[in-house]
Amino acid sequence: MKSRMIEKGAGSVLPLALAAALMCAGGCKTTPENVTNTLGMEFILVQPGVFLMGCSEGDMECQGDERPQHPVKISEAFYLGKFEVTQAQWTKIMGNNPSRFRGESRPVENVSWDDTQEFIRRLNALEGTTKYRLPTEAEWEYAARTGVATKFPFEAGRAGDHVWYWNNADGQTHPVGEKQPNPWGLHDMHGNVWEWVQDWYGEGYYLASLTTTPGAQVVKPKDLLSGPKIVISDPKGPVEGTGRVLRGGSWGNDLRYLRSALRNAYAPDYRSANVGFRLAISADSGWASGVKSMREEAEQSAASANDAIKEAAEPLKVPEIKAPEIKAPTLPKAGSFGK
């Protein structure tokens, strides 16, 4: 099992035109649709498409488990959290806050992969669904790249505008959403906290997935313009392992460990102050409309409760009663006594 959570530890790997050609070949919405659940968690719809997963040849910062780079198809749209799960959201579901760096709008951290599964189980039960989950490793990298084949979806020289990492984080997490989002509107995909994903880790999984899938073949990036005949669709990682995958890097890493292709892994019970997560949802119109109705009902109920509390707090209004006018008796005139 790989364990390289490195504290304190960028270049084009494919022409942008080629990356754009690989994305949304069948057509996509240009503006992702947002959905907000009953906890106020915002989700962005990520459209399906094809991308090159892994690190490109010639990148001197590549790790062995990031090779070979290979085409992957995300065949179904999915929702991904606009932000990492916050401490306020975790506390509302779990009733505790394990984080080292406290703050309601900071990402929850110091949570294991196993902990995230209990959070997901409770959230699904709360909303009567089975849709909430962690993203797969392929979904995470697809959403992080946003159709860009470079190391980051931003200029490395302007990283401070987009990420919290070793150079600017002051040794701690920061509230979600303070840095600029990626082109799809997702915040903190790189930096702030490492994010658990669903997959078991396999050091040689990329190569194994290409050689064990019927008809699959390694396709060189220069050949992709003509289109690979077979790609790996919706990979979900090895069927078993000893570690779960983490992605994105954290406040404690330098920039090379925040690359879109970089992979990390720890045991499912591992906890650290630089490890958190974000949620994914298997998208369908029924869930979106259902959660919208639940949120509207909850908001209406809360508004009614607030009105009742406000009314109870107001002073009792007593109708004004006007007392009858009583005239003083007329005094006798002076000198009229005894007459």
Side-chain angles (χ1 to χ4, degrees), residues 258-280:
L258 275 62
R259 295 179 297 109
S260 296
L262 190 125
R263 309 172 70 205
N264 203 348
Y266 270 87
D269 61 354
Y270 177 80
R271 297 185 181 94
S272 170
N274 56 13
V275 173
F277 69 110
R278 80 176 65 221
L279 291 179

Side-chain angles (χ1 to χ4, degrees), residues 10-45:
S12 176
V13 295
L14 192 68
L16 295 183
L18 173 54
L22 293 173
M23 295 291 299
C24 302
C28 290
K29 294 180 180 178
T30 56
T31 304
E33 180 183 346
N34 288 14
V35 175
T36 303
N37 74 358
T38 55
L39 264 65
M41 304 171 80
E42 297 180 64
F43 293 87
I44 289 179
L45 183 63

Side-chain angles (χ1 to χ4, degrees), residues 131-144:
K131 297 292 184 183
Y132 292 101
R133 57 180 175 82
L134 294 177
T136 66
E137 186 174 14
E139 287 173 337
W140 189 97
E141 186 170 329
Y142 177 69

Side-chain angles (χ1 to χ4, degrees), residues 44-62:
I44 289 179
L45 183 63
V46 179
Q47 296 285 355
V50 178
F51 76 110
L52 289 175
M53 187 171 184
C55 197
S56 294
E57 296 179 9
D59 186 348
M60 300 305 294
E61 293 178 344
C62 276

Side-chain angles (χ1 to χ4, degrees), residues 38 70 113 121 127-128 198 229 232 238 241 279 287 292 311:
T38 55
H70 55 289
W113 187 92
R121 185 191 70 78
E127 294 192 351
Q198 184 63 32
K229 295 187 177 184
I232 305 301
L279 291 179
W287 174 83
K292 181 180 178 181
E311 184 177 345

